[in-house]
Amino acid sequence: MQAAPVRATAIPSFTDALRAVESLLMSSGQRTARRNAWTSVLEDRRRAKDRVEAQQVLEQSLVGRR
């Protein structure tokens, strides 16, 4: 009886598969623009979270003074 063959290459992740499809459908410039836009969205979310946290600290410090 022989053992099952071992797969030498890793199965691509879902993200890898999406990037492969993206590369087929979009030009390089479009991919770059989309990734830059997504990076901007993530950065905006991070800044919004920071603003909320700063506002909460300010409100707590004002309540503490009373």
Side-chain angles (χ1 to χ4, degrees), residues 16-28 31 35:
D16 292 337
L18 283 178
R19 286 197 173 136
V21 170
E22 174 189 64
S23 69
L24 292 173
L25 298 177
M26 295 181 162
S27 71
S28 176
R31 281 195 312 272
R35 287 187 183 143

Side-chain angles (χ1 to χ4, degrees), residues 13-45:
S13 70
F14 183 71
T15 302
D16 292 337
L18 283 178
R19 286 197 173 136
V21 170
E22 174 189 64
S23 69
L24 292 173
L25 298 177
M26 295 181 162
S27 71
S28 176
Q30 287 174 323
R31 281 195 312 272
T32 301
R34 188 188 62 77
R35 287 187 183 143
N36 288 345
W38 183 243
T39 299
S40 294
V41 166
L42 295 177
E43 185 62 20
D44 287 346
R45 288 179 181 175

Side-chain angles (χ1 to χ4, degrees), residues 1-17:
M1 188 185 309
Q2 290 183 331
V6 176
R7 180 182 285 259
T9 58
I11 297 173
S13 70
F14 183 71
T15 302
D16 292 337

